[in-house]
Amino acid sequence: MTTTTAPAPTAQAAGRPAGRPRLVPWLLRLHRPALYVWAGLVLVLAAALAWLWGPLTDAAAAAWRQYDACDMNTRCSYDQDAILRYKDVYGYTTFAVTALPFVVAAWSGAALFGRELENGTARLAWVQSVSPARWLAAKLALPALLVAGGTGVLVTLHHLAWTAGRGRIDTAKPWTDDLTLHAGGPTTVAFALAGLTAGALVALLSRRALPALALALCVTGAVRAAASWALPHLWPAVVHRSGLGTGYTSGGLEVEHGLITTGGAHIADPGCGPTTIEECRRLYADLHATAFYTRTHPYSHYWPLQLTTTALVLALTGLFVLAAFRVLRRTTGPAAPAAGDTRAEAAKGTPARAGRA
């Protein structure tokens, strides 16, 4: 019989733990198709918005000047195609920018998290090289950077394109239009980040790709709807008074309207109309109404409304992230040491073991 002794670990192996895996290159390789699609989508939309911002807006504005200069009694021509082209491109690009948060949510729930949790590759990474918390942090941080950067460029270009046509194109959308309001502001960036984190949370809860995709879309839609509803109430509105004979004053983003009584109280409008109608005059007399009121937001409130709504959505996004880490910890337990750290600890001072051949 012979006895063999395992070689003692070298000083370098004992003193230096094995290197941790480089998560960023791994993530870029793993999701390379999605990265290419995202980059292509951002480039195409950016080119369309730049075209809208410059040549299309100028051509449409010139056509509207020709139309406004026309005499109704004489025949004149104007470039109708330029006006229609501006309208079509604006509508398509606005819808595309609005849809970006939903695209991000669907990808996050189905491909970024749901697929790896469903087929078990995430758990394989946890037990071999990366702790669950570090895995989740990396898979949220890098996509969040790319999503925020790409979406931020697009909403900036959209706002510039809309601003270039404001006051020059008669059929340009007002700033109070829901799609225009969000497509040209930072709220869309916040919606995209909320979609990303919502996809991670529902994927960790369901651990299946298809249900996570559907749930992520539902959560993102709910966040956007709630933000649109809350936006007018997040900043003090301006109150306008008007006489009972003239009706309501219009303009801006309306919050509410109604009647003012002799005691100064604001009551609901019965929907009758101005006092030029005899029935309305008697009704307002019975209600002791003295004037109409309208609470609205003028255009000067655009950025306060945008920033307060963005802050609210980002706070909700932070809650999604916190909930995702709590769900991950509950389902995986305390983070285990990485494989490199385990090998390093095993190499420190481990006595050689003898075996028999």
Side-chain angles (χ1 to χ4, degrees), residues 55-123:
L56 285 185
T57 297
D58 293 339
W64 274 110
R65 286 196 301 270
Q66 295 170 358
Y67 178 82
D68 294 336
C70 288
D71 186 351
M72 300 303 296
N73 298 321
T74 60
R75 184 178 180 181
C76 62
S77 62
Y78 64 97
D79 191 356
Q80 185 181 21
D81 291 339
I83 295 175
L84 296 178
R85 193 179 303 115
Y86 171 90
K87 181 179 179 181
D88 290 341
V89 174
Y90 183 89
Y92 294 145
T93 53
T94 301
F95 177 79
V97 173
T98 302
L100 285 179
F102 297 92
V103 173
V104 172
W107 172 73
S108 175
L112 184 61
F113 291 98
R115 185 175 58 189
E116 291 193 36
L117 292 166
E118 184 175 7
N119 61 25
T121 55
R123 185 168 295 277

Side-chain angles (χ1 to χ4, degrees), residues 86-87 90 94 162 166 169-177 180:
Y86 171 90
K87 181 179 179 181
Y90 183 89
T94 301
W162 176 83
R166 181 172 179 251
I169 298 176
D170 293 0
T171 53
K173 292 290 186 180
W175 73 274
T176 55
D177 176 69
T180 297

Side-chain angles (χ1 to χ4, degrees), residues 1-338:
M1 291 188 297
T2 58
T3 303
T4 58
T5 304
T10 62
Q12 181 180 5
R16 178 176 55 86
R20 288 181 178 270
R22 300 174 63 190
L23 285 179
V24 171
W26 170 70
L27 284 173
L28 292 176
R29 286 195 304 269
L30 182 63
H31 298 284
R32 186 181 303 168
L35 178 62
Y36 290 159
V37 170
W38 177 253
L41 184 62
V42 170
L43 288 175
V44 169
L45 283 176
L49 288 168
W51 184 36
L52 181 69
W53 177 19
L56 285 185
T57 297
D58 293 339
W64 274 110
R65 286 196 301 270
Q66 295 170 358
Y67 178 82
D68 294 336
C70 288
D71 186 351
M72 300 303 296
N73 298 321
T74 60
R75 184 178 180 181
C76 62
S77 62
Y78 64 97
D79 191 356
Q80 185 181 21
D81 291 339
I83 295 175
L84 296 178
R85 193 179 303 115
Y86 171 90
K87 181 179 179 181
D88 290 341
V89 174
Y90 183 89
Y92 294 145
T93 53
T94 301
F95 177 79
V97 173
T98 302
L100 285 179
F102 297 92
V103 173
V104 172
W107 172 73
S108 175
L112 184 61
F113 291 98
R115 185 175 58 189
E116 291 193 36
L117 292 166
E118 184 175 7
N119 61 25
T121 55
R123 185 168 295 277
L124 184 63
W126 299 341
V127 299
Q128 287 191 348
S129 57
V130 183
S131 68
R134 186 164 174 253
W135 171 85
L136 178 57
K139 288 179 75 69
L140 282 175
L142 181 60
L145 181 64
L146 297 174
V147 166
T151 311
V153 169
L154 294 179
V155 298
T156 300
L157 288 173
H158 188 282
H159 185 76
L160 291 172
W162 176 83
T163 303
R166 181 172 179 251
R168 301 171 61 196
I169 298 176
D170 293 0
T171 53
K173 292 290 186 180
W175 73 274
T176 55
D177 176 69
D178 183 72
L179 295 185
T180 297
L181 177 62
H182 292 293
T187 51
T188 294
V189 181
F191 293 150
L193 294 176
L196 175 69
T197 55
L201 176 59
V202 298
L204 287 167
L205 289 171
S206 65
R207 294 183 173 267
R208 298 186 64 186
L210 190 58
L213 184 152
L215 288 172
L217 290 176
C218 292
V219 172
T220 305
V223 170
R224 194 190 188 285
S228 296
W229 173 83
L231 182 143
H233 307 282
L234 298 178
W235 196 260
V238 177
V239 179
H240 296 280
R241 292 173 57 111
S242 57
L244 293 176
T246 58
Y248 291 103
T249 57
S250 59
L253 181 63
E254 183 177 313
V255 180
E256 65 174 1
H257 63 269
L259 297 171
I260 303 176
T261 65
T262 53
H266 289 188
I267 61 176
D269 180 11
C272 189
T275 53
T276 53
I277 304 174
E278 179 62 28
E279 292 80 2
C280 295
R281 187 182 304 114
R282 289 197 299 267
L283 176 62
Y284 295 151
D286 294 339
L287 294 174
H288 305 288
T290 59
F292 292 111
Y293 80 92
T294 309
R295 294 181 62 237
T296 62
H297 292 286
Y299 180 64
S300 59
H301 289 188
Y302 176 84
W303 284 113
L305 292 172
Q306 282 279 351
L307 296 177
T308 51
T309 307
T310 300
L312 180 64
V313 176
L314 289 179
L316 186 59
T317 301
L319 293 179
F320 287 160
V321 173
L322 179 61
F325 275 98
R326 290 181 66 88
V327 170
L328 181 67
R329 182 175 178 83
R330 188 186 64 196
T331 55
T332 62

